[in-house]
Amino acid sequence: MFVLCKSLKRKNLGVTILMQSILKKAWFIFGFLVLVVQAEGQPQSLLSEPVLNWYEQLYAFEPVTIEDSIIQKASTVEKDFARLNYYWQQLLLHGQLNEAENRLKSLADKYALSKEKMKSATPLQVFMAATTKAFEARAYGATTQKISGVKAYTEASLYLDYMRLKQDQYVEFSLLVNIYDACLTQMEGELLYWALLWLMPSAENKDAPKRLQKLFNHPNAFARTEAIYFIYKIAKSLENKTPKALQHLDILKEMYPSNLLLQLEYYRTAGANKRPAKTELEKSINENSSLKPEAKAHLKKVLNETEDPA
C-alpha cells in the first residue's frame, strides 16, 4: 500500500510538473499573440517621443523654436523634421515667398533618394524623403507655380512602394500612404484631375479615409494631427461637404485652441452664420505674444479679405 501511494504521488507530481510546463508555454504563446495583435493594431512611430512632443507644442502655438534643447539633442534626421514643420508654419504665418520656402525646398533636395540610395536608406530617411517633397508640393500649391507642385507630388509618390510594404509597421508610413490613396480616390471622379492622375501611381486602398480615421486617437501627435487635417481637406476641397469638413476642423481646434491658423481656417471655411465674430479673432491675433508684428499683419490681412464661401 505504501509503495502504491508513493507511486501515485510520483505520478501526480509528474502530471503537476507537466501541467505547469504546458501552462507556461500557453501563457508565453498567449502573451506573444497579444503583442502581435497590439503591433498590428497600433504601428510604432519612427519619430521619437521628445520630438513628437515638440511638434505638438509647435502646433499648439507655444513659444518653441528649432534651437530648443529637445531638438538639439535629436538625431540629424529628426532635427530636419523639426525644421521642416517650423519653416512650414513660418510660411503660413507670413504668406509670401520668403526664406522659409527656400529652406523647405533645400530640405527636399537634401533627402531626395535615387533607386540605388533607397537600398541602403533607413525607414526614417525614406519618410523624410517623401514628407519633404510633399511639403514642397504644398508650398508650390500656395503660389502660381502649379506645375512645379505637380512635379513635386509625383516625385513624392516614388517612395510609395517602399512605404506600402512597411505601413503596418510604422504609423508615419500608414499616414502618408492613406493620405495619398484617399486623395487620389476622390480625384478619380473629377474630370479636372484626369491629366494629373496619368502621372501618379494608382490608389490601392479604397477605404483609405476609414484607415486615416483610425489614426485620430494614435499617440503619435504628427500622425494624429495630419490624419484629421487631411480628412478635413478632402471633405472641403474634393467632396465639397463643408459641414463634414467643419466637424473635423472642430476636433483640431479643441486639440489646439491657441492655434490661430486653425481659427483663421475655420473662419474662412464656415459661412457667415457659423463663423465667430471677426473682432474676436482679430483680438486673439493682436494679443498673441509669440507672433511677430509682420505675422500679425498678414493674419489680419487674410482675415479682412475673407469672403463667404460659395
Side-chain angles (χ1 to χ4, degrees), residues 258-277:
S258 297
N259 188 312
L260 292 172
L261 291 170
L262 290 175
Q263 293 181 36
L264 188 57
E265 183 79 12
Y266 190 95
Y267 186 90
R268 298 175 67 189
T269 302
N273 294 329
K274 293 184 179 180
R275 65 170 53 133

Side-chain angles (χ1 to χ4, degrees), residues 9-34:
K9 284 182 179 178
R10 286 176 179 172
K11 188 174 181 181
N12 289 337
L13 181 62
V15 171
T16 302
I17 293 172
L18 178 63
M19 288 300 296
Q20 287 176 343
S21 176
I22 291 172
L23 284 171
K24 283 182 180 179
K25 288 181 180 178
W27 278 113
F28 173 79
I29 293 170
F30 175 76
F32 175 75
L33 288 174
V34 168

Side-chain angles (χ1 to χ4, degrees), residues 39-309:
E40 290 179 351
Q42 197 84 297
Q44 62 181 304
S45 296
L46 285 167
L47 297 162
S48 66
E49 187 174 348
V51 171
L52 288 170
N53 290 338
W54 179 92
Y55 166 87
E56 201 163 19
Q57 291 173 348
L58 178 73
Y59 218 93
F61 264 47
E62 295 181 18
V64 295
T65 73
I66 51 178
E67 303 301 326
D68 289 353
S69 59
I70 290 176
I71 302 306
Q72 293 306 308
K73 293 176 183 177
S75 67
T76 300
V77 182
E78 288 193 309
K79 284 178 183 176
D80 284 338
F81 169 80
R83 292 187 181 103
L84 177 69
N85 285 278
Y86 182 80
Y87 297 150
W88 175 248
Q89 189 180 87
Q90 291 301 304
L91 183 61
L92 294 177
L93 288 173
H94 294 84
Q96 58 187 3
L97 298 176
N98 59 15
E99 189 178 355
E101 182 178 4
N102 294 329
R103 287 176 173 174
L104 283 174
K105 294 172 184 174
S106 295
L107 285 172
D109 292 339
K110 177 179 178 179
Y111 283 93
L113 295 171
S114 64
K115 288 185 178 180
E116 191 62 32
K117 287 183 177 180
M118 283 276 288
K119 296 176 183 178
S120 59
T122 65
L124 188 56
Q125 287 172 329
V126 176
F127 163 71
M128 278 297 290
T131 305
T132 52
K133 272 297 172 187
F135 271 76
E136 181 186 11
R138 289 165 75 175
Y140 277 127
T143 69
T144 57
Q145 303 179 59
K146 306 299 182 185
I147 294 177
S148 296
V150 171
K151 181 175 180 291
Y153 272 125
T154 56
E155 290 172 351
S157 69
L158 296 176
Y159 309 110
L160 267 175
D161 289 342
Y162 180 100
M163 293 191 293
R164 286 193 193 284
L165 290 174
K166 298 180 181 290
Q167 63 177 315
D168 292 332
Q169 187 176 357
Y170 299 113
V171 67
E172 291 89 350
F173 288 159
S174 177
L175 170 75
L176 296 179
V177 165
N178 285 298
I179 285 175
Y180 178 88
D181 285 349
C183 290
L184 239 68
T185 299
Q186 292 299 326
M187 289 164 66
E188 286 172 356
E190 298 289 338
L191 181 63
L192 177 65
Y193 299 113
W194 282 7
L196 172 61
L197 294 176
W198 278 102
L199 303 172
M200 310 289 280
S202 300
E204 292 187 10
N205 299 322
K206 300 299 181 182
D207 62 342
K210 291 182 180 178
R211 291 175 179 235
L212 283 176
Q213 289 178 21
K214 288 181 179 180
L215 299 179
F216 282 13
N217 296 314
H218 197 281
N220 182 308
F222 174 74
R224 180 175 67 246
T225 302
E226 292 292 326
I228 298 170
Y229 180 76
F230 271 93
I231 287 293
Y232 152 72
K233 290 294 286 184
I234 289 168
K236 177 190 173 186
S237 303
L238 297 177
E239 296 178 343
N240 293 318
K241 296 179 179 177
T242 300
K244 179 181 176 182
L246 290 175
Q247 288 176 3
H248 292 103
L249 200 52
D250 268 328
I251 297 173
L252 285 176
K253 283 178 59 190
E254 289 178 9
M255 288 168 57
Y256 305 106
S258 297
N259 188 312
L260 292 172
L261 291 170
L262 290 175
Q263 293 181 36
L264 188 57
E265 183 79 12
Y266 190 95
Y267 186 90
R268 298 175 67 189
T269 302
N273 294 329
K274 293 184 179 180
R275 65 170 53 133
K278 180 184 290 187
T279 52
E280 286 182 23
L281 188 47
E282 190 168 13
K283 181 181 178 183
S284 297
I285 295 171
N286 287 328
E287 293 179 351
N288 190 290
S289 58
S290 64
L291 287 180
K292 294 181 179 179
E294 54 268 29
K296 292 182 179 182
H298 171 68
L299 294 181
K300 286 189 286 186
K301 180 174 180 288
V302 174
L303 174 64
N304 291 322
E305 291 176 351
T306 298
E307 298 178 358
D308 287 340

